[in-house]
Amino acid sequence: MEEKDILQEEVVEEKVETAENSENQNKVEEKVEKPKRKSKTQAEMQRLVEENEKLQNYAQRMKADMENIKKRNENIARDMYNDGKQDAILAFLPVVDNLERAMELEMPDGIKDGLSKVKKQIETIFERMNITEIESLGKEFDPNLHNALMQIDDEANSGKCVQVYEKGYKIKDKILRHASVVVAK
């Protein structure tokens, strides 16, 4: 064989090897799979989805904030109403005290009957408004309910309220006015 034929055979063999190598390389690349690039529309769609989620979260937070503000305003309105009611009752209590003092005085029966009817109306109003008198006479002294004006010596009733100067009142569990009492020691 001639030299030319040998060279051609070598070139053919190289081409076959190169073709085989490139086929193998393609197979390897197919297995590795390059990450797919997102198209512009897919990227835009992803951005819009994320923005939508952010806006929905923001809307939910705003809704919760509005509900909290509504509850807070309702509480403030209720407290203001109760404070106004309490102030009105406190201004009215001295009138009730004077009415009770007047009923203890000697007077004609017609006047006494009229005063007792007024007192009954006041008691009805107090009952409707959940205002109750703090029971004090003969009860143990309680600084949460009573205001001690003085102490007297009385061993039989030690620690008890023996005289009431001014009745105390409460709405449910809230003290409107402490009872002013004399306590035995």
Side-chain angles (χ1 to χ4, degrees):
M1 280 193 140
E2 282 188 33
E3 207 174 292
K4 205 176 185 186
D5 287 333
I6 293 177
L7 282 177
Q8 279 182 344
E9 278 181 26
E10 286 179 7
V11 169
V12 170
E13 284 178 12
E14 281 181 24
K15 285 183 182 178
V16 169
E17 283 179 16
T18 305
E20 286 175 1
N21 284 341
S22 98
E23 281 178 26
N24 287 339
Q25 191 174 10
N26 286 341
K27 287 179 183 176
V28 169
E29 287 177 4
E30 285 175 9
K31 288 180 184 176
V32 170
E33 287 189 39
K34 293 181 182 175
K36 296 180 181 178
R37 291 185 181 166
K38 292 183 179 178
S39 68
K40 288 182 181 179
T41 56
Q42 288 175 331
E44 180 68 13
M45 179 67 118
Q46 181 65 30
R47 186 187 66 76
L48 290 173
V49 166
E50 289 172 1
E51 186 176 334
N52 184 27
E53 288 175 0
K54 286 179 186 178
L55 290 173
Q56 284 180 347
N57 289 337
Y58 179 76
Q60 286 176 340
R61 283 194 309 274
M62 289 298 108
K63 183 179 178 183
D65 286 347
M66 290 305 295
E67 288 176 12
N68 289 338
I69 289 169
K70 182 180 175 184
K71 287 178 186 176
R72 192 174 323 123
N73 286 341
E74 287 172 356
N75 290 339
I76 289 170
R78 185 184 62 245
D79 291 345
M80 287 176 62
Y81 172 78
N82 288 336
D83 289 346
K85 181 176 158 182
Q86 182 176 340
D87 290 344
I89 293 166
L90 285 173
F92 187 67
L93 287 179
V95 176
V96 174
D97 294 337
N98 288 331
L99 177 65
E100 289 177 351
R101 287 185 196 109
M103 290 181 63
E104 292 174 5
L105 299 174
E106 292 295 322
M107 62 184 80
D109 286 338
I111 295 174
K112 200 163 200 152
D113 287 342
L115 291 177
S116 66
K117 287 180 182 178
V118 171
K119 185 173 189 262
K120 182 67 177 163
Q121 280 182 313
I122 291 170
E123 288 171 353
T124 303
I125 291 169
F126 279 10
E127 187 177 310
R128 217 176 317 142
M129 296 176 80
N130 294 318
I131 300 170
T132 55
E133 181 183 326
I134 296 172
E135 295 293 326
S136 301
L137 193 58
K139 303 288 181 184
E140 286 291 322
F141 176 76
D142 181 355
N144 297 316
L145 303 174
H146 305 112
N147 181 23
L149 299 177
M150 57 194 261
Q151 287 185 327
I152 59 170
D153 288 326
D154 185 356
E155 290 182 22
N157 293 313
S158 181
K160 293 185 179 180
C161 302
V162 291
Q163 189 176 359
V164 178
Y165 277 109
E166 194 173 61
K167 290 182 178 180
Y169 294 93
K170 62 183 178 176
I171 296 179
K172 297 180 183 172
D173 292 331
K174 186 174 183 179
I175 304 296
L176 288 172
R177 180 175 79 180
H178 291 80
S180 297
V181 296
V182 175
V183 182
K185 61 176 175 172

